[in-house]
Amino acid sequence: MVLELKNITKSFGTKEVLKGISLSTEGGKAFGLLGRNGAGKTTALRILMGVFPADSGDVLIDGKKIDRKMVKIGYLPEERGLYPKKKIIDQLVYFAELKGMNRADAVKSIDYWLSRLEMSEYRDKRLDTLSKGNQQKIQLITTLTHDPQIIILDEPFSGLDPVNAMLLKSVVLEEIEKGKIVLFSSHQMSYIEEFCDRIAILNGGKTALHGELTEIKRNYPRDRLTVRSPQYQEILTDFGEKCKYISDDSVLLRLDDESEKPEIMRSLIDKYDIDEVKVFEPSLNDIFVEYADKEV
């Protein structure tokens, strides 16, 4: 399954929120939709889900306009939407039935997910008796119970301790391995970098960057070196403005030209006690800061 958003525009009154964004991903891969607050991420996701229509452009599945009666979508919103005073099993069944499941199949699926997420003991409790992290897991069950083909996760790790974050990671990886399309929207770049094959960065309602994350990194100029050394202070002094401290006894050294790389690397090893020297590869956080903050 290939999902495409093609030349999507959307305005609310006089405010143009999306200005012709395009992006694509496919089953068995995770996609990261990134951008600063107000960049248009939530609007794009709501158009994908059919909450409201685009002014122009298309949402396509395998090249054809999406039929939401045929394609199941699961959505984990950033703002949680469950009922705090209601029994957990009752509202999980209610949401599953809203998505077209019969009660027997819903209960079977819910019990599976309660067990998978280590929540079976809370089946008959009220939601407001649970911790924030466990409430997040119940919300996730509403997302997955009806076995969606497209899973949208908006800040999915919010409120989770490291143990529960690991559990969620394993669940997400299982869904990706089943061939599902998984879309992440998050400001936690480490998780996006860990999971996502492709990303799009929205900026001012436009697609500022879109593509395979590994390819995006590979296309960055290879004219900087990361150097880790106990003599980092001497390196900083010797290279002056071309060099800056990063962390952990490491410095970033800028070359005048990529062709200097072999010679500079040899000279560093000859002159200093070098623990590591390698071509600098930007993190997703570096890429995000660059593209989410520039004018488009």
Side-chain angles (χ1 to χ4, degrees):
M1 179 184 288
V2 177
L3 168 67
E4 294 177 86
L5 272 64
K6 202 166 185 180
N7 300 319
I8 299 291
T9 67
K10 184 66 181 179
S11 296
F12 296 99
T14 59
K15 183 172 177 57
E16 192 177 12
V17 178
L18 297 179
K19 305 172 183 177
I21 69 163
S22 295
L23 53 90
S24 65
T25 187
E26 62 188 73
K29 294 188 176 181
F31 183 91
L33 184 61
L34 310 174
R36 298 175 65 181
N37 294 331
K41 304 186 301 298
T42 300
T43 300
L45 293 177
R46 287 176 177 171
I47 289 171
L48 166 59
M49 292 186 289
V51 175
F52 43 66
D55 294 338
S56 64
D58 295 301
V59 179
L60 306 175
I61 295 290
D62 294 334
K64 299 177 181 179
K65 285 191 177 183
I66 188 171
D67 181 350
R68 294 182 181 84
K69 294 179 181 177
M70 302 298 294
V71 178
K72 291 183 286 186
I73 300 175
Y75 177 49
L76 177 70
E78 181 179 5
E79 298 297 330
R80 311 312 175 209
L82 299 178
Y83 301 104
K85 303 297 182 183
K86 296 291 185 182
K87 192 186 293 186
I88 286 167
I89 183 62
D90 291 343
Q91 55 182 313
L92 287 176
V93 169
Y94 169 72
F95 282 111
E97 289 177 333
L98 285 179
K99 294 168 183 173
M101 298 186 77
N102 64 56
R103 184 176 182 84
D105 288 342
V107 170
K108 183 178 179 181
S109 180
I110 289 163
D111 282 336
Y112 165 78
W113 282 112
L114 285 169
S115 175
R116 178 68 184 84
L117 293 172
E118 301 172 358
M119 296 294 292
S120 296
E121 65 184 284
Y122 302 107
R123 186 181 191 273
D124 297 311
K125 295 187 180 297
R126 288 187 351 184
L127 188 74
D128 60 3
T129 64
L130 274 59
S131 67
K132 183 179 178 182
N134 281 338
Q135 289 185 29
Q136 171 77 330
K137 289 160 75 175
I138 296 299
Q139 184 84 53
L140 179 63
I141 293 173
T142 70
T143 306
L144 300 175
T145 296
H146 62 301
D147 194 24
Q149 295 140 296
I150 300 173
I151 301 169
I152 301 170
L153 304 173
D154 195 350
E155 298 294 354
F157 296 96
S158 175
L160 296 182
D161 61 48
V163 173
N164 279 324
M166 287 293 294
L167 180 59
L168 177 56
K169 284 183 192 179
S170 67
V171 167
V172 171
L173 289 171
E174 287 170 9
E175 296 300 296
I176 293 170
E177 288 169 5
K178 290 176 186 175
K180 309 276 184 83
I181 291 174
V182 178
L183 283 81
F184 281 91
S185 179
S186 178
H187 291 113
Q188 294 176 285
M189 295 298 147
S190 59
Y191 289 122
I192 298 291
E193 193 157 15
E194 181 177 353
F195 282 109
C196 294
D197 304 281
R198 294 175 67 82
I199 64 163
I201 297 177
L202 302 187
N203 183 346
K206 298 180 182 179
T207 310
L209 183 67
H210 175 230
E212 296 282 344
L213 183 54
T214 53
E215 190 67 24
I216 289 169
K217 288 186 175 185
R218 194 178 297 122
N219 287 335
Y220 262 71
R222 302 177 67 80
D223 60 355
R224 289 173 289 178
L225 300 175
T226 301
V227 185
R228 185 162 57 86
S229 168
Q231 294 178 273
Y232 72 93
Q233 289 180 324
E234 294 175 43
I235 298 172
L236 282 169
T237 300
D238 291 346
F239 284 88
E241 293 182 355
K242 292 183 179 181
C243 199
K244 70 174 182 179
Y245 178 74
I246 308 174
S247 63
D248 301 325
D249 297 346
S250 295
V251 296
L252 184 66
L253 177 58
R254 177 173 45 81
L255 309 178
D256 291 328
D257 190 271
E258 287 185 31
S259 63
E260 294 182 332
K261 185 168 52 184
E263 180 184 349
I264 295 294
M265 292 176 87
R266 279 195 300 269
S267 68
L268 285 166
I269 292 168
D270 290 341
K271 188 173 181 180
Y272 308 100
D273 180 7
I274 300 296
D275 293 329
E276 182 181 42
V277 57
K278 61 182 181 180
V279 174
F280 170 76
E281 184 178 85
S283 67
L284 180 55
N285 192 71
D286 297 324
I287 295 167
F288 177 82
V289 169
E290 178 180 347
Y291 280 89
D293 203 34
K294 64 166 37 172
E295 285 193 24
V296 292

